[in-house]
């Protein structure tokens, strides 16, 4: 009997807990709190936070190779399957109409990617801080946070720096949720009241055929110049083609709903399995959180500055505020542009104008990811 | 690889990366613009679809607006 | 030509059948009949029965490592993935409100688990019967049938006694379907008419926040005291959190519908692959069916007796009939309590009061499963 | 392992198992009761504007945008 | 810098493309065009075409063992999982009522399978053409195109001739889409105006119990005589049983919708991964396309001729036009019979009469597949 | 295996295959017919469910057929 009791006691959490595990369980709970009470990307942060808790339960080893989270991780993240399927779903949910209505605004989605590459440089510089050691691969994986696009960050992170994936994903989604707090001051700092008041002319109508051809054109350009970006861009285009072609509704609906929901649950839990104490509770994580903030800020600034350039070039036809939407974080960033625009001028509706750079930002960061994978990977 | 090399490499990446992003998106702008010229324009109004689809209220609002819009012409 | 004919003839079922396979195909057909004509848990017993037929077709080897059922089994049952995903779905479908309205009734869900551990003892005793040999692991896997909870039984069975899994799953679901026949006589035998007439006061209203916190509290208690139960309890809590938090409806709907449906199909077919003649047509199976009946009966009795104790302690505020719902078998057992209650007093609606112990029973048997896995596994 | 040992072990399991089940559920009763005391009983609403669905503000913005669009022509 | 530039340039598609890859990307685009603009089985040909494009992108190696398509292929096609799940969904969508209303018409579904076996002979004969070399396995895999049933063709192809799978799937779905063009001339050639005008008496009502028993009878006959056909036939029967039993609607709905949609996306993309230049751009592919056409034509003719025989035997109670529906290609072929019938006599509605042979054709080709797998496999 | 052997084998397959297909479907016809005799008939009208949802033309055809069927009684 005693023996049995001891065996049972020796198998309790109380007996086996490490401080690190307790801390990580608190972190997981914190993410869940932010998701539910503060609306921080709940679709991702609830599964991630919960997965983080499960991963840090002693004895159970749920994140181990035999455990549920471990199995999901190797099946879906190591293989790259989950982020690519999410990207397909995103494609099936995204309307590129606003982008097609005024293609020139895509340039804003390009400019905002400066946040990524500047952060890569910053991450390397951070090696000067004692206790922090980022390889070029680590730096690239961290920098992609600036893409402000979850699946892209997870895809790149899982390829270049699996150990940092937990922190990278948490940073990416947290800062996406914080876009309404991070961006406005930067946007206001860099623009004049006159610029912010700028009204933009209504978008032209976009034909169905243009919408069907766009994903194919996008894939064509990508495969010609940057094949390493084609897994991401390709699945985005595939999902979008399913949506726009209009003849396979049952497939596009499934890709945009049941399938992406299922994959989101699995992806979130798997990411959580990377919230292991020894990896997460480190100077690196603080560095990553700091760099992520830098990435978002610089990306926002770069977008707005390019917006100001277009404002000049077009003789005031473009409101610089939509530049910040170029970081993607769809559709949050576009809503922020709209909000700040309305503050400057109650008749100034920028939402649909900002959606163009917004979705262009998704493409831009997928392209940036391709460059990183091609050169660093 | 020492820190200097890393810094050089990361700066190179910055140049190459932004270059690639701009080249590809500019090329895309060109092709899309070209296509929009070639393609016969239909009467289709675009409305942004946020990632999570459109809820009934949203549809209602839009259709109402469209109805209104047709009346106005 | 002859050669070809012979080759074809030598590949027919008629040529290759063994008596055991024929018998098992009849068994599979019988399960399908019970499911369709008698309403025996059709969601599970139709796939299980059909899988059993497919598994016993000669030549085709559908349950083999290369066959469809074999692949599904190793991917989803050996890994534990399927039962855990089902449990997540159950969590996303379960309302713990009634339990939270009067937490003390959870004690009934604890008492009913006596059926499990008594049956474990009984299974060991059965070793005295010549021709039957149950190891401690076998006994534990059989005993969990008393948990009256499908995914829990399958999860434990697949870990402790894969060879017996077919019989265990069949027994578990069959007896759950037979709850309306097994329980009433025991309930009436152990209670007085006066007790059965007992009316219970209206349940208090439960706040949204309490419902959100409950799955987290449940996980907390479990990971502190019994980590080995956290895969099961954790997924139950995760599903329930998705449901109650109210901000990820698309995930909870998918978990409670498409995902659980897909997994149920695969799980049922995979279990069927364990209906192999040599394993199923044995004295062990008879023993398992007998022990399963014992487990349900003892569990019911234990719940009712604890109900009587609470009746005394609370001075007649608790109707002992709701005790039997503690075996889980949600929501069947709660309906039985309600039915018997109405027989005793047409004004006596016990359903909501019985739902508390009923869902507590799910938790109780998951905890019991954790103990068995920790000590026997 | 002979039958006697098995019997002993299974009886031990009976004790340990029921013990664990009761301890855990009783503890849970305690915590749940405590929480229900601490938590304000009225239904608590957690409001969020995640990617999911379209928040009223967004609909407003779009309708307004369409409104604007009509005016411009 | 130069080094980095060179590295980037050396990783572009422009630098790495082979002529074959370019050609295959054009082929993929062509399939997508046919699917969208000409309505060629878009549910399959869009994913297949897109998968074909992705598979031929240099550097990315998306169809490789580490790539998305490669992973999907080995998980779902090599294992046979995807076509079997599609077949389950087909079963859950198929109403065998018309077949049960007049079972004798099943004979038409048998006759039409002559297209398969004649084509097998034809493929062997084609070995006389220099540059073409078909083994018996290749020939069998090609012949199954005549079954006019996608999942069956893919299942057999993946087992007997994986290298030809791309061409086989493309031919199968393309010719299914061309049924309205291929069949009519043959049907008119072989029938007299008088025969085509034949009206058929209304189908009798079919009871629910008959519908429930049918999938079980079908499985019984198959497992007794041709176990090698039971994976295909079994999953068809399982899906149909879920549909007809009426007690597991949530499972049959999922099997017939979300699950088949998800699997269709994966299956199509995986098949596309077999559109590799070196395999596809060969004399064999031309041979396969030619043989596929032969298979459909001969199958149609055989069905119609058997229809004429029944016309005689039944003294004009059967319209020979429904014979062509025996090739399956559900429901296209049945609609063709209906259309030609209406041309001959505006009051002549053959659709539901043709649905019987139509679905019988699905069974017929699954049986034929079983024979090929049993003897050649 | 030389071409002659292959040709012979394929001809054998033709015979065996068509034989098997006919035997199985004829047997099925027999069993189905038998069952329909044994089973009590209910009042159920069957309408075909095609694989890809129901297209308008199809619906038209069916309704027409039903119309026809009612006329015939
Ligand atoms: Na971006
Ligand atoms: Na239970
Ligand atoms: Na066929």
């Amino acid at each position: 009997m005693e023996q049995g009791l001891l065996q049972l006691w020796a198998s309790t959490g109380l007996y086996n807990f490490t401080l690190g595990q307790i801390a990580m369980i608190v972190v997981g709970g914190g993410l869940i709190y932010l998701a539910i009470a503060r609306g921080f990307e709940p679709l991702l942060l609830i599964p991630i936070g919960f997965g983080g808790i499960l991963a840090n339960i002693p004895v159970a080893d749920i994140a181990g190779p035999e455990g549920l989270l471990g199995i999901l991780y190797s099946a879906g993240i190591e293989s790259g399957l989950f982020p690519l399927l999410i990207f397909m779903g995103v494609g099936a949910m995204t309307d590129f109409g606003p982008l097609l209505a005024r293609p020139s605004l895509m340039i804003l989605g390009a400019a905002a990617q400066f946040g990524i590459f500047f952060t890569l440089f910053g991450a390397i510089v951070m090696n000067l801080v004692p206790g922090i050691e980022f390889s070029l691969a680590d730096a690239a994986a961290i920098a992609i946070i600036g893409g402000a696009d979850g699946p892209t960050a997870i895809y790149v992170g899982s390829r270049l720096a699996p150990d940092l994936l937990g922190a990278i994903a948490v940073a990416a989604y947290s800062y996406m949720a914080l876009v309404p707090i991070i961006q406005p001051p930067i946007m206001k700092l860099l623009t004049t009241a006159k610029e912010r008041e700028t009204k933009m002319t209504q978008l032209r109508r976009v034909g169905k055929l243009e919408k069907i051809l766009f994903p194919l054109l996008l894939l064509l350009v990508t495969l010609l110049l940057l094949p390493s970006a084609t897994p991401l861009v390709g699945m985005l285009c595939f999902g979008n083609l399913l949506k726009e072609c209009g003849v396979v509704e049952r497939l596009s609906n499934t890709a945009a709903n049941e399938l992406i929901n299922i994959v989101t649950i699995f992806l979130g839990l798997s990411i959580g399995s990377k919230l292991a104490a020894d990896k997460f509770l480190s100077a690196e994580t603080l560095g990553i959180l700091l760099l992520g903030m830098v990435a978002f800020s610089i990306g926002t600034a770069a977008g707005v500055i390019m917006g100001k350039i277009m404002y000049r070039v077009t003789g005031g036809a473009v409101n610089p505020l939509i530049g910040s939407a170029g970081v993607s974080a769809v559709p949050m960033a576009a809503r922020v542009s709209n909000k700040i625009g309305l503050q400057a001028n109650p008749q100034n509706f920028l939402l649909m104008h900002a959606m163009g750079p917004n979705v262009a930002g998704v493409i831009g960061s997928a392209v940036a990811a391709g460059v990183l994978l091609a050169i660093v990977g | 690889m020492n820190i200097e090399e890393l810094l050089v490499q990361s700066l190179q990446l910055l140049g190459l990366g932004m270059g690639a992003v701009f080249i590809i998106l500019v090329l895309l702008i060109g092709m899309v613009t070209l296509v929009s010229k070639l393609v016969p324009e239909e009467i289709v109004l675009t409305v942004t679809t946020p990632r999570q689809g459109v809820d009934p209220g949203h549809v209602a609002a839009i259709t109402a607006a469209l109805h209104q819009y047709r009346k106005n012409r």
Side-chain angles (χ1 to χ4, degrees), chain A, chain B:
Chain A
M1 195 65 184
E2 307 69 35
Q3 172 207 0
L5 266 173
L6 288 174
Q7 192 178 344
L8 201 57
W9 165 243
S11 74
T12 61
L14 291 168
Y15 181 91
N16 292 283
F17 260 122
T18 67
L19 274 175
Q21 289 170 320
I22 293 169
M24 288 314 296
I25 284 172
V26 172
V27 170
L31 291 174
I32 292 171
Y33 169 79
L34 290 173
I36 297 176
R38 297 264 169 280
F40 273 35
E41 298 281 336
L43 289 171
L44 270 301
L45 287 186
I46 288 176
I48 291 176
F50 207 94
I53 295 175
L54 293 180
N56 285 281
I57 297 173
V59 185
D61 195 30
I62 300 175
E66 303 283 280
L68 176 65
L69 300 190
I71 291 167
L72 288 177
Y73 183 88
S74 62
I77 308 288
E78 249 168 50
S79 69
L81 202 64
F82 291 163
L84 292 177
L85 291 178
I86 299 255
F87 229 49
M88 174 176 75
V90 169
M93 285 191 271
T94 304
D95 178 1
F96 286 105
L99 177 150
L100 295 169
R102 194 180 277 180
S104 60
L105 296 184
M106 264 193 261
I107 216 73
L108 296 169
Q113 307 316 315
F114 185 73
I116 294 176
F117 296 100
F118 178 90
T119 305
L120 191 155
F121 179 71
I124 294 302
V125 172
M126 204 173 256
N127 277 325
L128 300 173
V129 179
I132 289 188
E133 267 209 17
F134 290 133
S135 70
L136 200 62
D138 295 341
I142 295 164
I144 201 67
I145 294 172
D149 187 81
T152 302
I154 291 166
Y155 185 75
V156 173
S158 64
R159 255 118 210 76
L160 298 182
D163 285 351
L164 305 178
L165 185 54
I168 289 170
V170 166
Y173 284 106
S174 304
Y175 289 135
M176 271 186 265
L178 287 171
V179 153
I181 294 159
I182 297 172
Q183 290 193 318
I186 299 168
M187 294 160 72
K188 289 174 180 167
L189 180 74
L190 295 173
T191 53
T192 67
K194 183 166 168 309
E195 288 171 334
R196 291 198 292 276
E197 285 164 16
T198 313
K199 274 192 187 177
M200 297 181 67
T201 57
Q202 183 56 40
L203 295 173
R204 73 170 180 90
R205 300 194 197 80
V206 175
K208 177 141 196 56
L209 186 52
E210 288 176 73
K211 288 191 176 185
I212 296 176
L213 290 174
F214 178 70
L216 296 170
L217 288 176
L218 172 54
L219 180 61
L220 180 63
V221 175
T222 313
L223 65 84
L224 286 177
L225 298 181
L226 196 61
S228 54
T230 47
L232 276 169
V233 174
M235 291 310 280
L236 183 77
C237 294
F238 179 56
N240 191 244
L241 182 66
L242 292 181
K243 169 181 183 293
E244 298 297 353
C245 72
V247 292
V248 291
E249 243 178 81
R250 60 182 293 161
L251 297 190
S252 60
N253 287 340
T254 296
N257 294 290
E258 291 80 19
L259 182 51
I260 198 173
N261 292 347
I262 292 171
V263 175
T264 301
I265 292 172
F266 291 168
L267 175 112
L269 288 173
S270 323
I271 297 295
S273 75
K274 282 296 177 185
L275 293 185
D278 58 324
K279 306 287 181 200
F280 194 88
L281 300 175
S282 61
E284 270 84 1
T285 298
L286 293 177
I288 290 170
L289 291 173
L290 179 64
L291 289 165
M293 174 63 84
V294 171
F296 268 70
S297 308
I298 300 289
T300 303
V304 173
I305 288 165
M306 179 57 77
K308 286 168 72 74
I309 294 171
M310 293 194 78
Y311 174 80
R312 300 251 185 309
V313 173
T314 60
V318 173
N319 187 320
L321 290 176
I322 67 173
S324 59
V327 298
S328 49
V330 181
M332 195 84 73
R335 291 188 202 160
V336 170
S337 301
N338 189 62
K339 181 155 155 287
I340 308 299
L342 286 168
Q343 285 175 8
N345 170 353
Q347 292 307 309
N348 197 2
F349 299 98
L350 297 175
L351 185 72
M352 285 196 290
H353 299 288
M355 283 310 295
N358 208 194
V359 293
V362 177
I363 298 169
S365 40
V367 170
V371 175
L372 296 175
L373 291 171
I375 296 185
V376 179
Chain B
M1 190 148 56
N2 64 38
I3 186 74
E4 285 75 16
E5 286 171 28
L6 281 173
L7 287 169
V8 173
Q9 277 213 324
S10 53
L11 281 174
Q12 287 186 1
L13 258 172
L14 196 161
L16 290 171
M18 286 312 287
V21 171
F22 270 99
I23 289 171
I24 287 180
L25 287 190
V26 167
L27 208 71
L28 193 59
I29 291 173
M31 296 180 71
V32 167
T33 316
L34 187 72
V35 166
S36 66
K37 296 272 168 296
L38 302 176
V39 169
E41 259 203 40
E42 314 149 35
I43 309 297
V44 175
L45 178 63
T46 67
V47 164
T48 61
T49 309
R51 285 194 180 180
Q52 303 309 343
V54 185
D55 70 347
H58 191 165
V59 173
I62 292 166
T63 38
L66 291 179
H67 188 73
Q68 178 70 354
Y69 145 72
R70 294 215 186 69
K71 284 227 313 285
N72 293 0
R73 317 174 62 223

